[in-house]
PDB file of all heavy atoms in Angstrom:
ATOM      1  N   MET A   1     -12.087  -5.692  -7.180  1.00 94.00           N
ATOM      2  CA  MET A   1     -11.232  -6.275  -8.224  1.00 94.00           C
ATOM      3  C   MET A   1     -11.613  -5.721  -9.596  1.00 94.00           C
ATOM      4  O   MET A   1     -12.773  -5.470  -9.869  1.00 94.00           O
ATOM      5  CB  MET A   1     -11.391  -7.815  -8.262  1.00 94.00           C
ATOM      6  CG  MET A   1     -10.997  -8.497  -6.973  1.00 94.00           C
ATOM      7  SD  MET A   1      -9.194  -8.581  -6.809  1.00 94.00           S
ATOM      8  CE  MET A   1      -9.048  -9.303  -5.166  1.00 94.00           C
ATOM      9  N   PRO A   2     -10.628  -5.538 -10.511  1.00 96.00           N
ATOM     10  CA  PRO A   2      -9.194  -5.703 -10.283  1.00 96.00           C
ATOM     11  C   PRO A   2      -8.589  -4.548  -9.469  1.00 96.00           C
ATOM     12  O   PRO A   2      -9.231  -3.472  -9.380  1.00 96.00           O
ATOM     13  CB  PRO A   2      -8.607  -5.714 -11.702  1.00 96.00           C
ATOM     14  CG  PRO A   2      -9.565  -4.870 -12.474  1.00 96.00           C
ATOM     15  CD  PRO A   2     -10.917  -5.130 -11.914  1.00 96.00           C
ATOM     16  N   PHE A   3      -7.449  -4.800  -8.849  1.00 96.00           N
ATOM     17  CA  PHE A   3      -6.846  -3.755  -8.071  1.00 96.00           C
ATOM     18  C   PHE A   3      -6.365  -2.634  -8.947  1.00 96.00           C
ATOM     19  O   PHE A   3      -5.580  -2.893  -9.918  1.00 96.00           O
ATOM     20  CB  PHE A   3      -5.628  -4.306  -7.285  1.00 96.00           C
ATOM     21  CG  PHE A   3      -5.988  -5.306  -6.214  1.00 96.00           C
ATOM     22  CD1 PHE A   3      -5.087  -6.340  -5.924  1.00 96.00           C
ATOM     23  CD2 PHE A   3      -7.172  -5.211  -5.531  1.00 96.00           C
ATOM     24  CE1 PHE A   3      -5.390  -7.253  -4.895  1.00 96.00           C
ATOM     25  CE2 PHE A   3      -7.469  -6.185  -4.515  1.00 96.00           C
ATOM     26  CZ  PHE A   3      -6.515  -7.174  -4.211  1.00 96.00           C
ATOM     27  N   SER A   4      -6.769  -1.432  -8.663  1.00 96.00           N
ATOM     28  CA  SER A   4      -6.242  -0.258  -9.405  1.00 96.00           C
ATOM     29  C   SER A   4      -5.259   0.485  -8.582  1.00 96.00           C
ATOM     30  O   SER A   4      -5.415   0.602  -7.344  1.00 96.00           O
ATOM     31  CB  SER A   4      -7.449   0.625  -9.756  1.00 96.00           C
ATOM     32  OG  SER A   4      -6.980   1.882 -10.262  1.00 96.00           O
ATOM     33  N   ALA A   5      -4.259   1.038  -9.215  1.00 96.00           N
ATOM     34  CA  ALA A   5      -3.257   1.864  -8.478  1.00 96.00           C
ATOM     35  C   ALA A   5      -3.883   3.106  -7.895  1.00 96.00           C
ATOM     36  O   ALA A   5      -3.279   3.801  -7.061  1.00 96.00           O
ATOM     37  CB  ALA A   5      -2.116   2.234  -9.427  1.00 96.00           C
ATOM     38  N   SER A   6      -5.124   3.422  -8.300  1.00 93.00           N
ATOM     39  CA  SER A   6      -5.826   4.520  -7.730  1.00 93.00           C
ATOM     40  C   SER A   6      -6.715   4.146  -6.521  1.00 93.00           C
ATOM     41  O   SER A   6      -7.361   5.017  -5.953  1.00 93.00           O
ATOM     42  CB  SER A   6      -6.690   5.250  -8.788  1.00 93.00           C
ATOM     43  OG  SER A   6      -5.873   5.901  -9.726  1.00 93.00           O
ATOM     44  N   ASP A   7      -6.732   2.863  -6.162  1.00 94.00           N
ATOM     45  CA  ASP A   7      -7.497   2.413  -5.036  1.00 94.00           C
ATOM     46  C   ASP A   7      -6.820   2.811  -3.704  1.00 94.00           C
ATOM     47  O   ASP A   7      -5.652   3.021  -3.681  1.00 94.00           O
ATOM     48  CB  ASP A   7      -7.670   0.895  -5.044  1.00 94.00           C
ATOM     49  CG  ASP A   7      -8.561   0.364  -6.126  1.00 94.00           C
ATOM     50  OD1 ASP A   7      -9.388   1.172  -6.641  1.00 94.00           O
ATOM     51  OD2 ASP A   7      -8.535  -0.842  -6.450  1.00 94.00           O
ATOM     52  N   ASN A   8      -7.645   2.864  -2.705  1.00 91.00           N
ATOM     53  CA  ASN A   8      -7.138   3.056  -1.312  1.00 91.00           C
ATOM     54  C   ASN A   8      -6.336   1.867  -0.855  1.00 91.00           C
ATOM     55  O   ASN A   8      -6.785   0.709  -1.061  1.00 91.00           O
ATOM     56  CB  ASN A   8      -8.320   3.372  -0.355  1.00 91.00           C
ATOM     57  CG  ASN A   8      -7.899   3.565   1.034  1.00 91.00           C
ATOM     58  OD1 ASN A   8      -7.468   2.678   1.754  1.00 91.00           O
ATOM     59  ND2 ASN A   8      -7.937   4.827   1.511  1.00 91.00           N
ATOM     60  N   VAL A   9      -5.205   2.096  -0.244  1.00 95.00           N
ATOM     61  CA  VAL A   9      -4.367   0.964   0.250  1.00 95.00           C
ATOM     62  C   VAL A   9      -3.985   1.227   1.685  1.00 95.00           C
ATOM     63  O   VAL A   9      -2.793   1.038   2.072  1.00 95.00           O
ATOM     64  CB  VAL A   9      -3.121   0.691  -0.686  1.00 95.00           C
ATOM     65  CG1 VAL A   9      -3.500   0.127  -2.017  1.00 95.00           C
ATOM     66  CG2 VAL A   9      -2.338   2.015  -0.874  1.00 95.00           C
ATOM     67  N   ASP A  10      -4.911   1.583   2.497  1.00 94.00           N
ATOM     68  CA  ASP A  10      -4.652   1.945   3.869  1.00 94.00           C
ATOM     69  C   ASP A  10      -4.869   0.806   4.865  1.00 94.00           C
ATOM     70  O   ASP A  10      -4.877   1.004   6.088  1.00 94.00           O
ATOM     71  CB  ASP A  10      -5.509   3.131   4.281  1.00 94.00           C
ATOM     72  CG  ASP A  10      -5.057   4.439   3.697  1.00 94.00           C
ATOM     73  OD1 ASP A  10      -3.866   4.527   3.243  1.00 94.00           O
ATOM     74  OD2 ASP A  10      -5.842   5.385   3.565  1.00 94.00           O
ATOM     75  N   HIS A  11      -5.105  -0.400   4.366  1.00 95.00           N
ATOM     76  CA  HIS A  11      -5.398  -1.525   5.232  1.00 95.00           C
ATOM     77  C   HIS A  11      -4.542  -2.761   4.949  1.00 95.00           C
ATOM     78  O   HIS A  11      -5.079  -3.823   4.617  1.00 95.00           O
ATOM     79  CB  HIS A  11      -6.921  -1.855   5.190  1.00 95.00           C
ATOM     80  CG  HIS A  11      -7.786  -0.699   5.549  1.00 95.00           C
ATOM     81  ND1 HIS A  11      -8.261   0.205   4.671  1.00 95.00           N
ATOM     82  CD2 HIS A  11      -8.236  -0.303   6.774  1.00 95.00           C
ATOM     83  CE1 HIS A  11      -8.951   1.133   5.274  1.00 95.00           C
ATOM     84  NE2 HIS A  11      -8.979   0.885   6.540  1.00 95.00           N
ATOM     85  N   PRO A  12      -3.240  -2.636   5.053  1.00 94.00           N
ATOM     86  CA  PRO A  12      -2.370  -3.796   4.834  1.00 94.00           C
ATOM     87  C   PRO A  12      -2.552  -4.827   5.918  1.00 94.00           C
ATOM     88  O   PRO A  12      -2.986  -4.495   7.052  1.00 94.00           O
ATOM     89  CB  PRO A  12      -0.924  -3.203   4.810  1.00 94.00           C
ATOM     90  CG  PRO A  12      -1.080  -1.975   5.727  1.00 94.00           C
ATOM     91  CD  PRO A  12      -2.479  -1.421   5.450  1.00 94.00           C
ATOM     92  N   ILE A  13      -2.260  -6.095   5.636  1.00 93.00           N
ATOM     93  CA  ILE A  13      -2.424  -7.138   6.684  1.00 93.00           C
ATOM     94  C   ILE A  13      -1.136  -7.929   6.958  1.00 93.00           C
ATOM     95  O   ILE A  13      -1.183  -9.027   7.486  1.00 93.00           O
ATOM     96  CB  ILE A  13      -3.585  -8.082   6.301  1.00 93.00           C
ATOM     97  CG1 ILE A  13      -3.358  -8.751   4.917  1.00 93.00           C
ATOM     98  CG2 ILE A  13      -4.902  -7.368   6.326  1.00 93.00           C
ATOM     99  CD1 ILE A  13      -4.400  -9.811   4.616  1.00 93.00           C
ATOM    100  N   SER A  14      -0.016  -7.368   6.577  1.00 92.00           N
ATOM    101  CA  SER A  14       1.311  -7.951   6.951  1.00 92.00           C
ATOM    102  C   SER A  14       2.293  -6.812   7.083  1.00 92.00           C
ATOM    103  O   SER A  14       2.088  -5.762   6.480  1.00 92.00           O
ATOM    104  CB  SER A  14       1.782  -8.965   5.898  1.00 92.00           C
ATOM    105  OG  SER A  14       2.205  -8.292   4.715  1.00 92.00           O
ATOM    106  N   LEU A  15       3.290  -7.033   7.894  1.00 93.00           N
ATOM    107  CA  LEU A  15       4.302  -5.985   8.062  1.00 93.00           C
ATOM    108  C   LEU A  15       5.077  -5.782   6.749  1.00 93.00           C
ATOM    109  O   LEU A  15       5.462  -4.658   6.410  1.00 93.00           O
ATOM    110  CB  LEU A  15       5.330  -6.368   9.150  1.00 93.00           C
ATOM    111  CG  LEU A  15       6.325  -5.283   9.464  1.00 93.00           C
ATOM    112  CD1 LEU A  15       5.671  -4.027  10.013  1.00 93.00           C
ATOM    113  CD2 LEU A  15       7.377  -5.818  10.453  1.00 93.00           C
ATOM    114  N   TYR A  16       5.241  -6.848   5.960  1.00 93.00           N
ATOM    115  CA  TYR A  16       5.840  -6.689   4.658  1.00 93.00           C
ATOM    116  C   TYR A  16       5.044  -5.696   3.812  1.00 93.00           C
ATOM    117  O   TYR A  16       5.613  -4.761   3.241  1.00 93.00           O
ATOM    118  CB  TYR A  16       5.958  -8.016   3.924  1.00 93.00           C
ATOM    119  CG  TYR A  16       6.321  -7.924   2.441  1.00 93.00           C
ATOM    120  CD1 TYR A  16       7.630  -7.509   2.110  1.00 93.00           C
ATOM    121  CD2 TYR A  16       5.423  -8.179   1.465  1.00 93.00           C
ATOM    122  CE1 TYR A  16       7.971  -7.405   0.792  1.00 93.00           C
ATOM    123  CE2 TYR A  16       5.778  -8.080   0.111  1.00 93.00           C
ATOM    124  CZ  TYR A  16       7.077  -7.693  -0.220  1.00 93.00           C
ATOM    125  OH  TYR A  16       7.418  -7.551  -1.516  1.00 93.00           O
ATOM    126  N   ALA A  17       3.745  -5.846   3.757  1.00 94.00           N
ATOM    127  CA  ALA A  17       2.889  -4.953   2.969  1.00 94.00           C
ATOM    128  C   ALA A  17       2.975  -3.566   3.515  1.00 94.00           C
ATOM    129  O   ALA A  17       3.045  -2.520   2.787  1.00 94.00           O
ATOM    130  CB  ALA A  17       1.441  -5.457   2.999  1.00 94.00           C
ATOM    131  N   ALA A  18       2.963  -3.410   4.885  1.00 95.00           N
ATOM    132  CA  ALA A  18       3.052  -2.083   5.494  1.00 95.00           C
ATOM    133  C   ALA A  18       4.367  -1.364   5.151  1.00 95.00           C
ATOM    134  O   ALA A  18       4.418  -0.175   4.937  1.00 95.00           O
ATOM    135  CB  ALA A  18       2.895  -2.213   6.977  1.00 95.00           C
ATOM    136  N   SER A  19       5.437  -2.167   5.080  1.00 96.00           N
ATOM    137  CA  SER A  19       6.749  -1.583   4.747  1.00 96.00           C
ATOM    138  C   SER A  19       6.737  -1.079   3.319  1.00 96.00           C
ATOM    139  O   SER A  19       7.386  -0.062   2.976  1.00 96.00           O
ATOM    140  CB  SER A  19       7.869  -2.583   4.975  1.00 96.00           C
ATOM    141  OG  SER A  19       7.914  -3.628   3.978  1.00 96.00           O
ATOM    142  N   LYS A  20       6.062  -1.752   2.428  1.00 96.00           N
ATOM    143  CA  LYS A  20       6.005  -1.350   1.025  1.00 96.00           C
ATOM    144  C   LYS A  20       5.095  -0.099   0.867  1.00 96.00           C
ATOM    145  O   LYS A  20       5.393   0.786   0.089  1.00 96.00           O
ATOM    146  CB  LYS A  20       5.471  -2.488   0.118  1.00 96.00           C
ATOM    147  CG  LYS A  20       6.516  -3.599  -0.014  1.00 96.00           C
ATOM    148  CD  LYS A  20       7.779  -3.071  -0.642  1.00 96.00           C
ATOM    149  CE  LYS A  20       8.794  -4.193  -0.917  1.00 96.00           C
ATOM    150  NZ  LYS A  20      10.038  -3.634  -1.585  1.00 96.00           N
ATOM    151  N   LYS A  21       3.986  -0.054   1.604  1.00 97.00           N
ATOM    152  CA  LYS A  21       3.144   1.124   1.648  1.00 97.00           C
ATOM    153  C   LYS A  21       4.011   2.287   2.184  1.00 97.00           C
ATOM    154  O   LYS A  21       3.902   3.449   1.689  1.00 97.00           O
ATOM    155  CB  LYS A  21       1.930   0.840   2.530  1.00 97.00           C
ATOM    156  CG  LYS A  21       1.183   2.070   2.929  1.00 97.00           C
ATOM    157  CD  LYS A  21       0.447   2.779   1.730  1.00 97.00           C
ATOM    158  CE  LYS A  21      -0.456   3.867   2.275  1.00 97.00           C
ATOM    159  NZ  LYS A  21      -1.103   4.565   1.164  1.00 97.00           N
ATOM    160  N   ALA A  22       4.798   2.053   3.193  1.00 97.00           N
ATOM    161  CA  ALA A  22       5.658   3.119   3.761  1.00 97.00           C
ATOM    162  C   ALA A  22       6.621   3.610   2.711  1.00 97.00           C
ATOM    163  O   ALA A  22       6.907   4.843   2.623  1.00 97.00           O
ATOM    164  CB  ALA A  22       6.445   2.603   4.977  1.00 97.00           C
ATOM    165  N   ASN A  23       7.174   2.719   1.879  1.00 98.00           N
ATOM    166  CA  ASN A  23       8.074   3.154   0.823  1.00 98.00           C
ATOM    167  C   ASN A  23       7.377   4.144  -0.157  1.00 98.00           C
ATOM    168  O   ASN A  23       7.951   5.171  -0.553  1.00 98.00           O
ATOM    169  CB  ASN A  23       8.562   1.977  -0.036  1.00 98.00           C
ATOM    170  CG  ASN A  23       9.550   1.090   0.716  1.00 98.00           C
ATOM    171  OD1 ASN A  23       9.874  -0.002   0.231  1.00 98.00           O
ATOM    172  ND2 ASN A  23      10.071   1.549   1.864  1.00 98.00           N
ATOM    173  N   GLU A  24       6.123   3.838  -0.509  1.00 98.00           N
ATOM    174  CA  GLU A  24       5.354   4.735  -1.372  1.00 98.00           C
ATOM    175  C   GLU A  24       5.133   6.090  -0.736  1.00 98.00           C
ATOM    176  O   GLU A  24       5.250   7.110  -1.389  1.00 98.00           O
ATOM    177  CB  GLU A  24       4.036   4.103  -1.715  1.00 98.00           C
ATOM    178  CG  GLU A  24       4.134   2.820  -2.518  1.00 98.00           C
ATOM    179  CD  GLU A  24       2.810   2.128  -2.856  1.00 98.00           C
ATOM    180  OE1 GLU A  24       1.752   2.750  -2.483  1.00 98.00           O
ATOM    181  OE2 GLU A  24       2.790   1.093  -3.487  1.00 98.00           O
ATOM    182  N   LEU A  25       4.871   6.106   0.603  1.00 98.00           N
ATOM    183  CA  LEU A  25       4.626   7.364   1.274  1.00 98.00           C
ATOM    184  C   LEU A  25       5.941   8.176   1.367  1.00 98.00           C
ATOM    185  O   LEU A  25       5.956   9.430   1.162  1.00 98.00           O
ATOM    186  CB  LEU A  25       4.117   7.079   2.688  1.00 98.00           C
ATOM    187  CG  LEU A  25       2.724   6.475   2.757  1.00 98.00           C
ATOM    188  CD1 LEU A  25       2.422   6.073   4.228  1.00 98.00           C
ATOM    189  CD2 LEU A  25       1.660   7.462   2.250  1.00 98.00           C
ATOM    190  N   MET A  26       7.049   7.501   1.668  1.00 98.00           N
ATOM    191  CA  MET A  26       8.366   8.162   1.757  1.00 98.00           C
ATOM    192  C   MET A  26       8.750   8.714   0.396  1.00 98.00           C
ATOM    193  O   MET A  26       9.260   9.825   0.274  1.00 98.00           O
ATOM    194  CB  MET A  26       9.381   7.246   2.357  1.00 98.00           C
ATOM    195  CG  MET A  26       9.182   6.934   3.786  1.00 98.00           C
ATOM    196  SD  MET A  26      10.527   6.016   4.551  1.00 98.00           S
ATOM    197  CE  MET A  26      10.253   4.369   3.885  1.00 98.00           C
ATOM    198  N   ALA A  27       8.501   7.919  -0.641  1.00 98.00           N
ATOM    199  CA  ALA A  27       8.874   8.382  -2.000  1.00 98.00           C
ATOM    200  C   ALA A  27       8.100   9.625  -2.340  1.00 98.00           C
ATOM    201  O   ALA A  27       8.649  10.568  -2.921  1.00 98.00           O
ATOM    202  CB  ALA A  27       8.530   7.294  -2.994  1.00 98.00           C
ATOM    203  N   HIS A  28       6.793   9.696  -1.981  1.00 98.00           N
ATOM    204  CA  HIS A  28       6.028  10.915  -2.276  1.00 98.00           C
ATOM    205  C   HIS A  28       6.616  12.112  -1.573  1.00 98.00           C
ATOM    206  O   HIS A  28       6.678  13.262  -2.158  1.00 98.00           O
ATOM    207  CB  HIS A  28       4.557  10.752  -1.944  1.00 98.00           C
ATOM    208  CG  HIS A  28       3.778  11.945  -2.325  1.00 98.00           C
ATOM    209  ND1 HIS A  28       3.501  12.986  -1.432  1.00 98.00           N
ATOM    210  CD2 HIS A  28       3.174  12.248  -3.489  1.00 98.00           C
ATOM    211  CE1 HIS A  28       2.794  13.914  -2.052  1.00 98.00           C
ATOM    212  NE2 HIS A  28       2.561  13.494  -3.316  1.00 98.00           N
TER     213      HIS A  28
END
């Protein structure tokens, strides 16, 4: 903490979170 946008986000714990991580990957 605090969460930085430069932190690793490879461990989501809900499908909602995983879908948002997927959006970031697709956008890139």
